[in-house]
Amino acid sequence: QVTSGQLREQGNALFQAGDHAAALAAYTQALSLCDAEPERAVLHRNRAACYLKLEDYAKAEADASKAIGANGRDVKALFRRSQALQKLGRLDQAVSDLQRCVSLEPKNKAFQEALRALGSSMHEKMKTMSCTDSKVEQMFQILLDPQEKDADKKQKAAQNLIVLAREEAGAEKIFQSDGVQLLMQLLDTAQPDLMLAALRTLVGLCSGHRSRAAAILAKLGAPCLAAVLGVEHEQVSLAACNLLHVMFESLKEGLQKDFRGKEDAVVLDSSKDLRLLIKHLLELLALEGASAHGRDNALNLLIKVVPRKSPKEADNSLSLWVIDQGLKKILEVGSSVCGTPGSLPVTKNSRMNASVLLSKLYDDLKCDAERENFHHLCEDYVRSWFEGHELAGKLRAIQTASCLLQGPAEAGNRVLELGGIMESVLSLCASVSESHQLVAVEALIHAADKAKRASFITTNGVNLLKEIYKHSERDSIRIRALVGLCKLGSAGGTDFSMKQFAEGSTMKLAKQCRKWLCNETIDVGTRRWAVEGLAYLTFDADVKEEFVEDKAAMQAMFQLAKSEDSSVLYAVASTLVNCTNSYDHEEPDPQMVELAKYAKQHIPEQHPKDKPDFVKRRVRKLLAAGVVSALSCMVKSENLALTNSCRELISRVFLALVAEAEDRGGVVAQGGGKALIPLSLEGTEVGQTKAAQALAKITITSNPEMAFPGERIYEVVRPLVSLLHLQRTGLENFEGLMALTNLAGISERLRQKILKEKAVPMIEGYMFEEHELIRLAATECMCNMAMSKEVQELFLAEGSDRLKLMVLYSGEEDERLRRAASGTLAMLTSLHPPICKRIPQVTVHWLEILQALLLSPSAELQQRGAVVVMNMVAADQEVAEQLMASEMLEILLVLAKDQDKP
């Protein structure tokens, strides 16, 4: 038995040799064996020295304090605590400890020198703080001086102010020095550079600080902030949007931990402030003087801050309030028709942003009464334009219907059912005015999404669309008519037997779409309609095959996906889902098929070119054309059109791209691994699961440290753990376990992250799974997790059968399961000797299981058995006697002579 004294001596030797981590481990082990208070104090003092060397100053302070608690005159412990406190920035406490050291040993020059150095260090800090005051003043003087003509000097002052505001001490200094008043003066100059500096500094002041954010909002006023958001200068508007978002977060989420102590006494009701801000944002939407991008930024903000983050949150009162106060203002943006009198100035993304906001608000409603109110408000708005406003009003009404169909489609469908709307759409399709025709054709396309209405359009609109497509002189109109035909032509989905048009018609439409897609002389806004058409036509496998053969068309689509036109994202993702067959499709039950045939029911048929070999070839061609970098750009873009359903489609495509092990390296190299992490943490449940499964596949076959370098590897743990939930499929469980096994074998920090995500109970659960591969994967994962101290302790927990299960699995017939279980036993007995004494107590078969391991034909099993026996013999005399009294000694003697198995 090793004594605490021996371990302390060992720790001292290791410390002298410079191995501070090993010395710390020795002192810690000595503490666990020692009860005497004076000796424990010395060990705590020694541990403090180790922590100082390892730069863990908080733990150094804690251990030194324990030593001082036992003996208040321990100068070594006092000196070490002063060093730790100095590093933690608590200089006044450090000085107090050093003064005590000097009073206890007045002749000690080291203490005197340290106290002198610390005194001058505190003096420097005081000097710096007063210097910061003068710097803040100086920066504002330079920025506000109308005589100052040196642009570089002004830019440097602005940059310094922004950097200072990002640090808590600097932010507080600016705030206390009446900085908000001075920043308001900068905003009043109306000079873009000075306004940007002011807005970015205000972001630093408000970040994570509730009371400061509330005070700044009260000082600036919501009307002032909304006015800055609506300015013509795009960068200034964006900076104001960022400031408002930070204010919302600080007021809504409350305090960050760092400052909670200082602000506990401040009680604020921020709901009034929030509503006041939102009210002004809603007014900005319908304000004629506001800029187009200011309107977009206001929509963007409302999308981020109004709807609930999760359906689990009970309170949706903010959404209800916005619907009552501002739904009609949002519809004003959605109904704007460029070039018509009375329409608001909008960008090409404004209507899509309005659709996204409407969709989010509608999804946030909890009951039929709330949804009915939403429908009534939309219908009243459409009627107000449709009745009594002649042609301009009808156009606004139709444009509103289009906006709703792209967002909350249910509300859009209700609007289309109002008397005269659909007839007006069809009649305006034949208008001579390009802008009128565009509005009507787009509405017809969005309306064709629903089968019920598609049949009405098939009857009344197909010939009209064909006429427009053949005879219109404008590409912008023809391409939209073509998309309408594509939608109607793909109504059968992937069902090969449901052909809407004559043989070859869909191929002609697809060829024309590809032609327009590659034509760079046409503007981006028009070319995106070609992708929209392909999103529908690629249900047909012949179209998919031709599309992947056309490298120019694929690359043109990927370029569009990277462009600023956000409305193209969903169409690109849909086209790729179709090409990779990554939608859900269940194999029909053969008996049900026979019954359907007997009842003369329609039976969907798969296209011969949708078989796995064809899909595999298409995936390879997409990879070669650069699909991964396009998808990565789509995920990276801070785009409102990147909705949860769009994220799900991208996740499906990624999962199809990593289906084959040999393709995974290429996907990671082009940024696929990095893009999958946010997809696995945000979006629909299906989308998150698909992305997590793709991450698991990459982690299983690649080196995780290379696939996810740096801190990124720790972000992968949570998505992988989500695959272990009971509602996931067996394959998802299996791949999640395999991936976690790889991660658990890399480092203790990763094992701690897996423990923190509460994965161990789930891994244990799967060790009882009937499916042998899942059971094996769980046991292998536990084998790697057993390197953690916390997991080792679990095997000794009272009333637990964990150890018994491992011993019994070591005697199973399945060799791979035996290898994993006996590997876990070898690991546990090596790292945690008390387990050795418990093995004979868990099952009467322990001895024959160990003998069977040593007599196995597999050298790997023999080695694991030998390690377990060796550890048990070393750990406890009684256990050693039991082992030697059996046939174990003879077996070991035979194995020791085996020259073939060194």
Side-chain angles (χ1 to χ4, degrees), residues 21-39:
L24 177 65
Y27 294 140
T28 304
Q29 199 179 343
L31 268 170
S32 68
L33 300 173
C34 170
D35 294 324
E37 199 57 49
E39 199 178 327

Side-chain angles (χ1 to χ4, degrees), residues 642-744:
L642 191 67
T643 55
N644 286 344
S645 48
C646 189
R647 284 169 171 277
E648 183 185 317
L649 295 181
I650 295 171
S651 299
R652 286 176 182 277
V653 177
F654 266 124
L655 185 55
L657 296 177
V658 298
E660 299 298 318
E662 58 266 32
D663 296 331
R664 291 169 196 167
V667 170
V668 169
Q670 292 174 54
K674 186 180 177 183
L676 277 164
I677 294 171
L679 289 173
S680 65
L681 297 171
E682 198 181 328
T684 65
E685 192 174 349
V686 173
Q688 288 183 42
T689 306
K690 301 277 181 199
Q693 196 182 354
L695 283 171
K697 286 179 186 288
I698 290 168
T699 310
I700 291 165
T701 53
S702 315
N703 176 350
E705 291 174 289
M706 290 178 74
F708 309 105
E711 292 297 304
R712 205 174 296 153
I713 195 167
Y714 302 99
E715 294 174 44
V716 179
V717 174
R718 183 173 296 170
L720 295 180
V721 172
S722 74
L723 294 175
L724 305 188
H725 294 152
L726 290 172
Q727 62 268 39
R728 303 284 178 261
T729 65
L731 179 62
E732 287 161 358
N733 297 155
F734 173 68
E735 290 182 333
L737 288 164
M738 293 267 285
L740 286 169
T741 303
N742 269 5
L743 292 183

Side-chain angles (χ1 to χ4, degrees), residues 839-860:
I839 290 176
Q841 297 164 20
V842 293
T843 172
V844 292
H845 304 293
W846 69 279
L847 199 53
E848 59 190 86
I849 288 170
L850 288 178
Q851 288 175 355
L853 284 172
L854 287 164
L855 293 169
S856 164
S858 159
E860 287 188 54

Side-chain angles (χ1 to χ4, degrees), residues 544-545 578-582 606 609-620 656:
K544 300 179 203 183
E545 286 295 316
N578 291 342
C579 287
T580 55
N581 281 33
S582 45
Q606 190 189 36
K609 290 183 182 173
D610 270 336
K611 293 200 164 90
D613 286 347
F614 284 94
V615 176
K616 204 182 288 185
R617 267 203 302 276
R618 289 202 290 267
V619 166
R620 291 271 157 84

Side-chain angles (χ1 to χ4, degrees), residues 499-507:
K499 291 284 185 186
Q500 299 293 311
F501 292 159
E503 194 66 47
S505 294
T506 45
M507 299 300 285

Side-chain angles (χ1 to χ4, degrees), residues 6-20 23 26-27:
Q6 288 171 318
L7 283 166
R8 193 177 92 191
E9 291 303 321
Q10 191 183 331
N12 294 346
L14 288 164
F15 189 88
Q16 292 298 328
D19 192 347
H20 304 118
Y27 294 140

Side-chain angles (χ1 to χ4, degrees), residues 166-469:
R166 284 181 191 150
E167 293 170 14
E168 170 55 17
E172 193 58 33
K173 193 54 61 187
I174 294 169
F175 184 72
Q176 298 294 350
S177 315
D178 202 21
V180 179
Q181 186 63 47
L182 297 169
L183 291 167
M184 282 174 75
Q185 289 177 36
L186 288 179
L187 287 174
D188 291 340
T189 61
Q191 292 176 34
D193 287 352
L194 296 181
M195 290 177 82
L196 280 171
L199 291 165
R200 287 168 182 165
T201 305
L202 285 165
V203 166
L205 300 188
C206 295
S207 287
H209 207 294
R210 190 179 181 187
S211 59
R212 266 207 308 256
I216 290 168
L217 177 57
K219 187 98 171 167
L220 292 175
C224 165
L225 287 167
V228 177
L229 186 68
V231 298
E232 282 296 334
H233 195 281
E234 204 167 336
Q235 289 292 100
V236 172
S237 175
L238 198 61
C241 176
N242 188 26
L243 170 61
L244 283 165
H245 188 216
V246 165
M247 279 185 162
F248 272 116
E249 289 302 307
S250 298
L251 293 171
K252 206 174 181 182
E253 303 301 330
L255 317 163
Q256 276 187 354
K257 289 175 196 158
D258 303 8
F259 321 123
R260 193 179 291 278
K262 299 176 192 174
E263 295 198 16
D264 261 346
V266 184
V267 179
L268 295 158
D269 176 21
S270 47
S271 60
K272 286 180 186 171
D273 297 327
L274 285 170
R275 292 200 175 191
L276 183 66
L277 262 181
I278 290 169
K279 182 170 174 274
H280 283 284
L281 288 178
L282 291 168
E283 283 171 7
L284 177 74
L285 295 180
L287 195 70
E288 284 185 24
S291 65
H293 41 255
R295 200 165 273 110
D296 274 3
N297 287 331
L299 287 167
N300 194 343
L301 256 175
L302 290 166
I303 288 166
K304 286 177 182 172
V305 301
V306 175
R308 290 173 295 168
K309 292 273 190 293
S310 151
K312 289 174 188 168
E313 291 174 34
D315 185 16
N316 70 339
S317 59
L318 200 54
S319 289
L320 295 174
W321 184 80
V322 167
I323 289 167
D324 286 337
Q325 299 288 318
L327 184 66
K328 293 190 176 178
K329 293 182 175 79
I330 300 165
L331 290 172
E332 281 288 308
V333 181
S335 67
S336 291
V337 181
C338 293
T340 58
S343 272
L344 297 166
V346 289
T347 69
K348 60 177 181 273
N349 290 329
S350 299
R351 269 198 21 246
M352 174 56 83
N353 293 349
S355 292
V356 172
L357 176 55
L358 290 164
S359 179
K360 294 246 182 198
L361 291 172
Y362 189 77
D363 290 344
D364 210 31
L365 301 178
K366 293 197 285 192
C367 63
D368 289 346
E370 291 173 0
R371 283 185 273 274
E372 205 52 44
N373 175 51
F374 189 96
H375 291 311
H376 283 313
L377 289 169
C378 292
E379 287 164 22
D380 290 348
Y381 180 82
V382 170
R383 276 199 208 94
S384 71
W385 277 111
F386 194 71
E387 295 160 7
H389 276 87
E390 296 180 346
L391 182 60
K394 287 185 171 52
L395 280 170
R396 291 290 290 268
I398 292 168
Q399 190 79 309
T400 308
S402 270
C403 177
L404 288 166
L405 284 164
Q406 285 177 280
E410 208 174 309
N413 291 328
R414 286 271 292 260
V415 163
L416 284 180
E417 283 158 17
L418 295 175
I421 298 273
M422 207 63 210
E423 290 74 10
S424 296
V425 170
L426 291 172
S427 64
L428 277 169
C429 281
S431 169
V432 289
S433 159
E434 181 178 6
S435 60
H436 298 175
Q437 209 178 4
L438 276 176
V439 170
V441 173
E442 280 189 28
L444 193 62
I445 293 164
H446 297 311
D449 271 352
K450 294 288 169 195
K452 184 170 77 172
R453 196 160 301 99
S455 56
F456 168 80
I457 297 166
T458 311
T459 316
N460 301 285
V462 170
N463 290 334
L464 179 61
L465 288 170
K466 281 184 180 172
E467 284 302 306
I468 296 170
Y469 174 57

